[in-house]
Amino acid sequence: MQAEIKLKKGKEESLQRRHPWIFSGALQSVPQGIEEGDLVTVRASDGTLIGTGHYQIGSIAVRMLAFGAETLPEGFFASRLSEAAALRRALGLIRPDNDCFRLVHGEGDFLPGLIIDIYADTAVVQAHSPGMHFCRFQIAQALTQIEGLGVRNVYYKSETTLPYKARLDPENEYLIGSYNGSVATENGLQFNIDWLRGQKTGFFVDQRENRLLLQHLAQGRKVLNMFCYTGGFSVYALRGGARWVDSVDSSSKAVSLTQANVDLNFPGCNHHRAIDEDAFKFLTTMESGEYDLIVLDPPAFAKHRKALHNGLQGYRRLNAKAFEKIAPGGILFTFSCSQVVTREQFRLAVFSAAAQSGRNVRILYQLSQPADHPIDICHPEGEYLKGLVLYVE
Ligand code: SAH
């Protein structure tokens, strides 16, 4: 029998609207003997059943997995994962020329605390909650059984994503299969993906559609791909006929990965350079008018609410540099992946930077995360990636 948790009076409202988080302040009491990662049955103060979720110590005390169920139904993970796969299939993401996509985007796939990215026949699984950590073997097994997905290896990578205080000491390891190469295909382009040593699950699949848009605008342009990481935007720019591409990152590993990905797709390419340099330093010292297409895709400047003010200043300063230096008629792709920064706040930060430059700036596109990073309509917190494509006169 799993433990039962009762909510304080009135605290069931957001759950009735199917928001999947229960904050610790909403609990009437925590039952004796309950442990982090346990499945719990949640009831309203009058005893009405709300559903089942994973318990955790922290400000989010329960992440709901199934509404209206006392416990998880048989085959729960197999069925949620199949639904996730069916959605990606419907989106046209599983194709011979595209075998890299996000299969599970946490709350957006009704699996809070779980991220799964697919790279050809390898699935990289990331648990963000102790509950998901304890379910990792079940999840891995279910993954290999999804028809048409072709997952042979499951790499578990949660060393840095699980709450440190839970003392789970997870190891990054293969739960099923082993390393057998790491080239995946995105929209017909090939990428070496280093899930063993790379950031997050190894690749930012969330920029796939934005990279494709950049490809269509890159013809004849001189491109600066700032914060290039694996060089995704650079490779698409080259396919789009860019005259020259400079890829910049302050990590030497990222710079070599970018060069390797350019070589993989365009062997002998003589109009690309990968540069190991700090963004602000590079943008400050580069000549005005050198580039007419600039991509700014920095790491999250505000990782939590307390860092919001400084984060917004960071976006403003970064974008101000680009507006100051971009060639007339230039196109700027600028992004924020900070979940705590709203679309409006980001736009305002970029707007102040534009105003400061005194140039005419128009918004061409307003970008977002792609459909394999869906947002549960009851969980607006799931929206994190925002971008603007700007035309600078
Ligand atoms: N645009 C990439 C993802 C960028 S991730 C893509 O499409 O895949 C952010 C990158 O910024 C990381 O590779 C990190 O090494 C780099 N970075 C962080 N701080 C930096 C700085 N101050 N200057 C340059 N690069 C930086």
Side-chain angles (χ1 to χ4, degrees):
M1 263 286 279
Q2 66 191 43
E4 286 208 352
I5 278 187
K6 236 184 207 181
L7 302 179
K8 288 183 186 157
K9 204 161 182 262
K11 292 294 183 188
E12 65 283 357
E13 253 175 49
S14 70
L15 290 144
Q16 281 161 348
R17 279 183 267 115
R18 299 211 158 206
H19 190 285
W21 294 347
I22 304 179
F23 290 97
S24 56
L27 307 185
Q28 232 177 65
S29 63
V30 175
Q32 285 263 313
I34 189 173
E35 299 210 19
E36 263 202 290
D38 279 355
L39 272 178
V40 290
T41 307
V42 181
R43 295 191 182 276
S45 58
D46 66 0
T48 314
L49 175 68
I50 300 216
T52 279
H54 275 144
Y55 173 73
Q56 179 169 345
I57 298 168
S59 99
I60 303 172
V62 181
R63 289 172 160 82
M64 295 302 291
L65 297 170
F67 286 96
E70 274 191 32
T71 187
L72 288 191
E74 188 74 21
F76 170 79
F77 283 105
S79 96
R80 285 279 153 95
L81 293 176
S82 299
E83 282 163 29
L87 176 58
R88 276 63 187 177
R89 202 167 293 122
L91 292 168
L93 289 173
I94 312 181
R95 318 186 302 261
D97 70 336
N98 195 86
D99 59 16
C100 119
F101 52 89
R102 177 153 292 191
L103 177 68
V104 172
H105 186 60
E107 287 81 359
D109 284 289
F110 309 122
L111 288 166
L114 184 66
I115 296 291
I116 304 177
D117 284 337
I118 303 289
Y119 302 121
D121 62 2
T122 298
V124 181
V125 174
Q126 232 174 28
H128 289 254
S129 70
M132 286 300 181
H133 173 69
F134 294 133
C135 296
R136 64 194 183 284
F137 295 107
Q138 244 172 300
I139 294 167
Q141 205 62 49
L143 271 171
T144 58
Q145 284 160 10
I146 301 176
E147 227 168 288
L149 202 59
V151 171
R152 288 202 183 83
N153 316 296
V154 179
Y155 186 65
Y156 184 61
K157 191 178 185 191
S158 305
E159 266 179 21
T160 55
T161 55
L162 284 164
Y164 174 71
K165 285 190 189 140
R167 297 191 172 278
L168 300 166
D169 301 325
E171 263 179 54
N172 290 347
E173 58 179 340
Y174 282 93
L175 299 179
I176 294 178
S178 59
Y179 182 82
N180 70 341
S182 59
V183 174
T185 309
E186 185 187 86
N187 285 322
L189 292 164
Q190 291 193 300
F191 290 95
N192 293 289
I193 296 170
D194 188 356
W195 49 82
L196 301 178
R197 286 165 296 265
Q199 301 175 43
K200 306 264 173 96
T201 66
F203 193 62
F204 288 90
V205 275
D206 57 359
Q207 290 286 23
R208 182 184 53 248
E209 288 170 14
N210 302 333
R211 294 195 264 254
L212 200 55
L213 175 64
L214 174 118
Q215 175 187 317
H216 295 310
L217 298 174
Q219 176 69 42
R221 292 196 180 253
K222 183 166 182 188
V223 179
L224 170 62
N225 179 12
M226 183 53 77
F227 308 99
C228 63
Y229 187 33
T230 54
F233 283 105
S234 308
V235 173
Y236 278 78
L238 289 168
R239 186 164 68 176
R243 175 162 56 89
W244 185 273
V245 179
D246 278 338
S247 307
V248 180
D249 201 289
S250 61
S251 142
S252 56
K253 243 174 10 198
V255 169
S256 1
L257 206 50
T258 293
Q259 191 55 53
N261 284 331
V262 169
D263 295 341
L264 184 64
N265 291 280
F266 307 101
C269 169
N270 61 0
H271 49 294
H272 171 261
R273 241 182 341 172
I275 305 162
D276 184 348
E277 182 65 279
D278 170 74
F280 281 91
K281 203 158 157 206
F282 190 92
L283 291 165
T284 306
T285 50
M286 75 189 201
E287 305 247 329
S288 272
E290 198 174 335
Y291 299 98
D292 54 5
L293 204 175
I294 298 180
V295 182
L296 298 176
D297 183 24
F301 280 173
K303 291 211 166 71
H304 41 83
R305 221 163 280 284
K306 279 192 197 130
L308 181 59
H309 178 75
N310 286 345
L312 289 172
Q313 291 300 328
Y315 289 118
R316 189 185 49 75
R317 285 200 308 128
L318 178 69
N319 283 280
K321 291 266 176 230
F323 287 127
E324 187 190 319
K325 298 287 180 76
I326 196 167
I331 295 176
L332 173 64
F333 276 66
T334 182
F335 295 96
S336 162
C337 61
S338 304
Q339 189 251 314
V340 297
V341 172
T342 65
R343 197 162 280 281
E344 288 65 38
Q345 284 167 329
F346 179 59
R347 196 161 133 165
L348 200 62
V350 176
F351 165 75
S352 338
Q356 192 181 323
S357 73
R359 300 180 71 170
N360 282 333
V361 176
R362 281 179 283 168
I363 299 176
L364 305 180
Y365 295 93
Q366 308 197 45
L367 307 179
S368 182
Q369 62 213 60
D372 53 342
H373 295 58
I375 304 160
D376 175 0
I377 204 157
C378 309
H379 180 259
E381 296 90 335
E383 181 179 4
Y384 70 101
L385 184 64
K386 37 247 145 201
L388 294 168
V389 182
L390 305 163
Y391 189 72
V392 188
E393 280 167 41

